[in-house]
Amino acid sequence: MTASTTGTKRQRVFAALEVPSIVAVPAVLAACAVNGVQAAAGLTLLVVVLCVGLFLASYEASRPALRQVMPTATLAGLAAAGRILFAPIPDVKPVSAIAIVAGATLGRREGFMVGALAALVSNFFFGQGVWTPWQMYAWGLVGYLGGVLGEHGLLERRGALYVYGFLSALMYGAILNGWYVIGYVEPITWPAIVAAYAAGLPWDCLHGAATVGFLAAIWVPWGARIRHAVAKYGL
């Protein structure tokens, strides 16, 4: 068996595991909350780390050329820098918008990588912790779903784009709020869960409005330039 054949099989295995690993995170999170699992914080953290690790391994297994890595790395760097630049304004961050653009123009896996790497890199400024894998997963998921919707042409209309941009921020907030409930709320009851999500809702809505604003600003110019680079260099 040649190295290329082995590499192709690895890519297929990783590709087949993408969706199950993504679904496993919220599924395990919800199951632990509902059933009151004692080791829920550690168990859910393990699942989210495995999911993020799978995507990193999948990207490495594809052995992308430098010209293919550069757009992903550049967008991740811009997203991280934007998050740091807007640090004084709570929940006004361009990360979700840039991850969506990356997913829609470069593909679902690249969208995940941009969101995940932006969280990892920017947290060298904000501080690393157990929240980092959760942020990597949540922003990676925003980019991944942006890629899925983009592949099916569902983001071509501005209205649909902005709706997804807003909902993506609520999804990000739901994931991070879920981690907070699992890790810090004791005992876990429905009133406590509702209270935690209600407290975060205004900030999640602000994040959503900011994401729509950033999409309105960058979707056309950035999208056109990225698509031109994809066509020109065969990315």
Side-chain angles (χ1 to χ4, degrees), residues 143-191:
Y144 186 88
L145 294 180
V148 173
L149 295 174
E151 288 172 9
H152 291 85
L154 298 177
L155 298 181
E156 294 178 0
R157 294 185 177 182
R158 287 296 187 94
L161 172 67
Y162 296 153
V163 167
Y164 175 64
F166 188 83
L167 293 179
S168 72
L170 298 186
M171 177 179 67
Y172 174 91
I175 292 167
L176 270 294
N177 290 334
W179 163 72
Y180 169 79
V181 169
I182 286 293
Y184 296 99
V185 174
E186 181 66 34
I188 298 177
T189 63
W190 284 113

Side-chain angles (χ1 to χ4, degrees), residues 3 16 18 22 30 33 39 68 87 118 163 207 210:
E18 281 183 3
I22 283 176
Q68 296 172 308
V163 167
H207 182 189

Side-chain angles (χ1 to χ4, degrees), residues 41-135:
L43 177 60
T44 54
L45 179 61
L46 175 61
V47 174
V48 81
V49 167
L50 289 175
C51 176
V52 172
L54 182 142
F55 271 88
L56 295 175
S58 176
Y59 193 73
E60 186 277 333
S62 68
R63 299 187 181 278
L66 180 60
R67 70 176 187 276
Q68 296 172 308
V69 173
M70 285 304 295
T72 302
T74 299
L75 289 173
L78 288 171
R83 185 184 178 205
I84 295 170
L85 179 64
F86 285 90
I89 311 174
D91 285 288
V92 176
K93 306 291 183 285
V95 181
S96 295
I98 295 176
I100 292 169
V101 172
T105 56
L106 298 173
R108 61 180 72 179
R109 186 178 58 185
E110 285 72 15
F112 188 98
M113 293 299 296
V114 167
L117 292 177
L120 176 64
V121 172
S122 60
N123 275 359
F124 283 105
F125 174 85
F126 292 105
Q128 303 287 356
V130 293
W131 53 84
T132 298
W134 287 101
Q135 291 175 327

